[in-house]
Structures are given as C-alpha cells and as structure tokens.
Amino acid sequence: RVAVVGAGVSGLAATKCCLDEGLEPTCFEQSQDIGGVWRYTEHIEAGRPSLYPSVISNTSKEMSAFSDFPFPEDFPVFLPNALLLEYLRRYAERFSLREHIKCGTTVVSIRKHPDFATTGQWNVVTEAGGKQTSDVFDAVMVCIGSFSEPSLPLHCFPGIERFRGQYFHSRLYKHPDVFRGKRVLVVGMGNSGVDIAVEASRVASKVTISTTQGAWLLSRVFEHGYPWDMVLNTRFMTLIKSNLPRPLSWWFMNYKANQRFNHENYGLQPEKSCLVRKPVLNDDLPSYILTGRITIKPGVKEFKDSSVVFHGCPEEEPIDIVVFCTGYVISFPFLEESVIRVENKHASLYKYVFPAHLQKPTLAVLGLIKPLGGIIPVAEMQARWVSRVFKGLCQLPSQSVMEKEVNEKKKNQVQWFGLTFDEVLKTEWLVYLDTLASFIGAKPSVLGLLCTDPWLALTIFFGPCSPYQYRLGGPGRWEGARQAILTQWDRVLKPTRTRVPAGSSSPFPSILAVVGFLLLLAAVIFGF
C-alpha cells in the first residue's frame, strides 16, 4: 500500500506508475480536484499553489508529455493552463486514476511506524469533512511540489517598513488591473517576475524590474521558428555541452544566448556570465524594453516612503506598488524535520528523490527539481524508478554512498551556480532522465538501434529527446513509442500550419539536413 500526497502532475504520475507495478496507491488531494499548480482558481487556497490566468507552459507539448500519452495533435505547441489541466484530466481518465484519488482530504501527519526499522511502514493521518483517519502504509510518495509557501525575505530590503505604498508576493497576483496607472516595481527576475512585469506594463504608468544577478532570456520561438526545447534538448547538443572544455562551454552558451539580442545592451547580462544559470522564458520582454514599457535596474538598496533606491543609482525612483517575485521555500508540514533534512532552503535527497539517511527506502519526494526542460517527463521517470524501488525490483546504494553523493553534488552545484536559494534543485534535464532510465532499464540504446532501426536511431540522437524514447524498451514498454517519435513534428506543425501556400516545401526539418548541419557544426567545434 502506497500513500501518494498530492494529485498534481507528480501525484498522477506516481499513482499511475504504482498501478503499473501492481502496487496499491491511495492518492490524497486536499483540494476538490486534480491538477495541482495547473488548476486555476480565482481565490487563493491555503497550502496549494496559486496561478494567474494568463500562465502558459514554458516547455512545448512534445517535450512535456507523459511518455505513453502524447498530447492531442490539435492542442497548441505551448499550452495555456486550462488546456494543460484538460490534458491531465484526460490522462487520469485514460488510466482510471480517479478511483484511487481522495479529493478534499488533507494529510495531517506522516510518522514512522513503531517497527519502521524492520517493516519500513508509515502511519498516515488524514482529515476529511472534519474527521481524522489513521492508516498504515508500506510506502509514501510526497508529490506536493514547491510552489505553496512563498519566500518573502523582507529583512533583506531596508526601509520596507516605512514604505507607504502597496507590496505583496507574486503568489497573490491574479490580474493586472491592480497596476492601472501605477508606478510598479517588480523585484526578482524569474519567469513569474517577467510575466507579471509584461502584463503590468500594458496598464501601468511605469514598470521597473529589479534584478541583482540578471538572467539569460530565451524565447519559446527558437531557431527557424521551432520550439526552444526541441532544438536545445537533443542528445547531440547534450553531448557537445558535456564534452566541451568548461571555458569553451561557457563561451558557447553565451554565444547561443546572445544570438537573438545582446543581453548587455538590455541590462539583462548575468552578473557572473561564467556561471550557468537557468534562463528565463519570455517572448515579449526585449521589445517591451525597446519601447520603454519596462526598465531594468540593479538590486534594491533601500526603500523610502514612496520611492526606492537601487545599488549604484544615487537618484530615488518613485513607486506605488512592489511585487516581490522572490520564489518559494520548501516545506513538508506533515513530516517530522528529521525525515527530510532541509538546509539552506533545499532538501538533501539522493537523486533529488530519496532521503539518504532513512533505514528503509520507503519514502520518496517527486517533482522537487527544476530542470531546463519539461517537469512532467521528469516526475514520471522519478515515479517509474521509485515504484520499482518500493517493489524491490531496483536497489539503492548504501546509505553512506548516497549521503556522500548528496553532499558532493550540493557542494559542486553551489560552486557552479552561485549561492541562491533554489539553484541546487537545477540539473541537466536529459542527463538526469537518462540516469534514472538506466536504473530501470529503460534508457534507449542509440548504437543498438543504429543496427536494427537506423532511421529511428538518427531521429533519437539528432532530434528532440521527446519522452517517448523511454518507452521503446524495458519495463513499461509502449508499442506506440516508435510511431510517437517519428510523428512528433506532425503534432507540432498541425496547430500552426493552418494555411499552406501552393508549392510549399516540407513543413518540418529534414533529418538528413539536420544531420548534415550538426555534423558540420561538430567539425567546426572539435576541429575535425
């Protein structure tokens, strides 16, 4: 028996993967419906993520799908939150997940069973309709994400206590009307911060973004008009990034990021350009800077009664409203602190999933990771691995080995990314998927396919690393995986190629042309 906490993306994947392995999942969802962060509500519910209605996915549908359930071909390439929620509902219906989900049920506490050292079991207390129930489960999957408890470090902003204007965390944002005619300051430059600044600039008198470190900015529309992640997240590109000397790798990433526009000229250049930081996805910001709708400023030095002073800028800037886009803290209110160690605002987990110090590997955390790529395939791969660990089909390393890796990764990533509260959760998307897939025997063999199915092998290596690759073989093999891979561009072009002029060329990139270009690129980079 497995308790699954949360019925968002990770919780649905966990429930489905448990069923695939013959386990007995019970999914507890405190709200009245599934969907997690993707279910928009006008009011803000305590303990669950809050969404503004204009949110659109930052990853394309082909790179964000569950590996055995492609998005409908008529869905747009990047999805409004309502359509992504519809997809999750179709997924739950297709695999009969609803009967295993208890909505309106809050998990109050999860504690080790008295004989945990031998059984690995957990006592789970839930509450529904004012009544508490206690049950014993053999394992637990925690799928609550990291967007419920806002981080609002007001102590880092001198003078905020005397600021007479309005300020709030981005979690409270719903509609731009609140900014009409106002002078708005957005503190922080993540995806939400840029989204809110762009929306505010359409009605506000002035909008300023304050960023201490800057950020690389990517557009959903990438080279030749194709989705950014279908161009960047390929096995070939990952091979290049992984094998280039570090200085050359930094240069290559700077070059790619600045191809669209020079970040330094727009005030966006990261403070330490040698550090790899997760880019921000937004299609409008550069043009809004060009047209004067948005201004980029350094970090906040201090607030005055009705103004703000930025570092390196002696003059005061008058403002009326401040939106703090300062991220979220990780918390597990139903767990004892000793179960998952949270230090410096991050959890110490083996492969971002298992608490390394537990005597029995019967508790796992899913979706607590921020890769440069779709979260759905990552959460699903975690669930496939975890369900097989719970079933005894996959073994974890010893406790000491896991703890050593957790500490080394934490140390290396702090050095690599710089000390910001959530950088340690960020990892290379494709490498991480391949690592977990290799644990369960689902990683595709490009060399093996080259002998038996060369066209598929070339598509897998040079084309997008779509999630269907992880259903070609191994446990959970899906008969439709090959066809899904070979038709992925059809589903991308279907909703956009709605007018076809006479005599037009093929709508999607020829694999031979792509192979030729990439081989030429490799020859230039590696000198052969």
Side-chain angles (χ1 to χ4, degrees):
R1 300 183 65 210
V2 180
V4 179
V5 186
V9 164
S10 300
L12 294 177
T15 303
K16 194 258 186 184
C17 290
C18 283
L19 293 172
D20 288 346
E21 293 297 342
L23 306 176
E24 298 178 24
T26 302
C27 180
F28 300 106
E29 169 57 45
Q30 71 171 7
S31 68
Q32 298 303 316
D33 201 358
I34 66 172
V37 70
W38 292 104
R39 187 172 67 82
Y40 172 77
T41 56
E42 184 63 30
H43 61 285
I44 297 170
E45 300 176 23
R48 71 175 299 268
S50 177
L51 193 70
Y52 42 98
S54 58
V55 167
I56 297 174
S57 67
N58 284 332
T59 53
S60 64
K61 65 178 182 179
E62 290 304 303
M63 304 296 279
S64 303
F66 290 108
S67 59
D68 54 357
F69 193 69
F71 278 88
E73 64 175 11
D74 60 334
F75 274 34
V77 180
F78 291 93
L79 296 132
N81 59 81
L83 280 182
L84 213 152
L85 177 61
E86 173 62 22
Y87 172 73
L88 296 178
R89 286 172 171 163
R90 293 187 186 190
Y91 180 77
E93 181 181 354
R94 167 65 179 82
F95 296 106
S96 303
L97 305 182
R98 291 260 187 192
E99 60 196 79
H100 303 278
I101 300 172
K102 294 185 177 182
C103 290
T105 304
T106 301
V107 174
V108 177
S109 70
I110 298 177
R111 299 289 184 266
K112 293 178 181 177
H113 195 269
D115 58 2
F116 177 84
T118 54
T119 65
Q121 291 181 326
W122 300 86
N123 288 329
V124 179
V125 177
T126 59
E127 182 174 322
K131 179 183 177 182
Q132 289 195 354
T133 305
S134 179
D135 290 290
V136 177
F137 286 88
D138 300 300
V140 174
M141 291 184 178
V142 178
C143 307
I144 62 172
S146 59
F147 298 104
S148 297
E149 188 173 330
S151 173
L152 189 55
L154 294 179
H155 63 278
C156 296
F157 299 95
I160 189 64
E161 69 281 352
R162 68 171 183 263
F163 176 62
R164 294 202 302 261
Q166 180 184 0
Y167 65 86
F168 57 89
H169 189 274
S170 57
R171 182 174 183 267
L172 301 179
Y173 173 73
K174 291 293 181 181
H175 303 284
D177 295 345
V178 66
F179 304 127
R180 189 170 301 278
K182 303 291 187 179
R183 296 164 297 188
V184 180
L185 171 64
V186 175
V187 177
M189 198 175 167
N191 288 312
S192 295
V194 174
D195 282 353
I196 293 171
V198 166
E199 288 198 1
S201 70
R202 296 169 185 151
V203 298
S205 64
K206 182 179 181 181
V207 174
T208 303
I209 296 177
S210 167
T211 173
T212 302
Q213 297 178 315
W216 297 122
L217 190 74
L218 291 182
S219 171
R220 293 178 179 88
V221 184
F222 208 61
E223 294 173 355
H224 306 291
Y226 297 117
W228 73 269
D229 49 357
M230 296 186 78
V231 176
L232 289 181
N233 283 339
T234 70
R235 295 187 177 279
F236 181 77
M237 289 295 290
T238 300
L239 185 67
I240 291 177
K241 286 187 290 183
S242 303
N243 288 279
L244 284 176
R246 183 169 291 186
L248 192 55
S249 178
W250 290 335
W251 172 86
F252 182 66
M253 294 187 69
N254 274 265
Y255 170 75
K256 294 297 287 184
N258 280 314
Q259 267 189 316
R260 182 182 170 210
F261 66 92
N262 188 319
H263 283 61
E264 190 170 346
N265 292 343
Y266 286 69
L268 299 173
Q269 181 84 12
E271 189 70 25
K272 297 178 180 177
S273 59
C274 62
L275 298 179
V276 180
R277 294 178 48 78
K278 185 178 179 182
V280 173
L281 268 291
N282 191 274
D283 304 305
D284 300 314
L285 183 60
S287 64
Y288 279 43
I289 294 175
L290 273 182
T291 55
R293 291 184 175 187
I294 295 176
T295 303
I296 307 297
K297 289 286 188 176
V300 171
K301 182 179 180 181
E302 67 171 319
F303 285 98
K304 300 293 183 70
D305 289 353
S306 58
S307 62
V308 63
V309 179
F310 300 104
H311 286 287
C313 304
E315 67 277 5
E316 296 180 19
E317 295 270 351
I319 53 170
D320 303 306
I321 299 179
V322 183
V323 185
F324 287 101
C325 302
T326 45
Y328 294 82
V329 296
I330 299 168
S331 66
F332 307 95
F334 45 81
L335 286 173
E336 293 177 310
E337 291 184 6
S338 61
V339 174
I340 299 179
R341 296 170 182 168
V342 179
E343 304 168 1
N344 298 324
K345 299 183 181 179
H346 69 267
S348 298
L349 301 168
Y350 175 66
K351 302 300 183 187
Y352 306 96
V353 175
F354 285 101
H357 62 283
L358 289 181
Q359 297 164 290
K360 297 286 184 178
T362 56
L363 184 140
V365 179
L366 273 61
L368 196 62
I369 186 172
K370 298 180 181 180
L372 185 56
I375 189 61
I376 290 180
V378 170
E380 182 193 35
M381 186 61 72
Q382 290 177 331
R384 292 174 69 184
W385 176 44
V386 169
S387 58
R388 291 182 70 79
V389 170
F390 287 171
K391 196 176 180 181
L393 299 175
C394 291
Q395 301 297 320
L396 297 182
S398 67
Q399 184 175 326
S400 60
V401 169
M402 289 192 292
E403 289 187 330
K404 181 180 179 182
E405 179 177 316
V406 167
N407 292 329
E408 287 181 353
K409 183 176 286 290
K410 183 168 43 176
K411 186 191 311 178
N412 291 340
Q413 287 196 321
V414 166
Q415 178 183 358
W416 179 255
F417 286 113
L419 206 65
T420 57
F421 80 97
D422 66 349
E423 298 295 346
V424 289
L425 296 177
K426 296 173 182 174
T427 192
E428 178 66 47
W429 186 76
L430 196 155
V431 173
Y432 183 72
L433 282 173
D434 272 359
T435 299
L436 299 196
S438 66
F439 292 163
I440 65 173
K443 179 183 175 182
S445 170
V446 177
L447 290 178
L449 286 170
L450 201 57
C451 301
T452 60
D453 197 338
W455 182 254
L456 181 63
L458 289 173
T459 303
I460 284 176
F461 186 69
F462 290 106
C465 183
S466 47
Y468 324 118
Q469 294 188 13
Y470 299 104
R471 293 285 181 176
L472 289 169
R477 182 177 180 272
W478 175 44
E479 291 293 336
R482 182 182 187 277
Q483 182 66 11
I485 294 168
L486 297 179
T487 57
Q488 57 195 356
W489 287 109
D490 296 330
R491 289 187 297 279
V492 169
L493 274 296
K494 172 73 173 179
T496 62
R497 196 173 164 87
T498 52
R499 174 185 170 271
V500 183
S504 61
S505 60
S506 172
F508 36 84
S510 162
I511 190 69
L512 295 178
V514 172
V515 170
F517 168 75
L518 291 175
L519 288 177
L520 179 62
L521 178 64
V524 171
I525 291 176
F526 294 110
F528 59 82

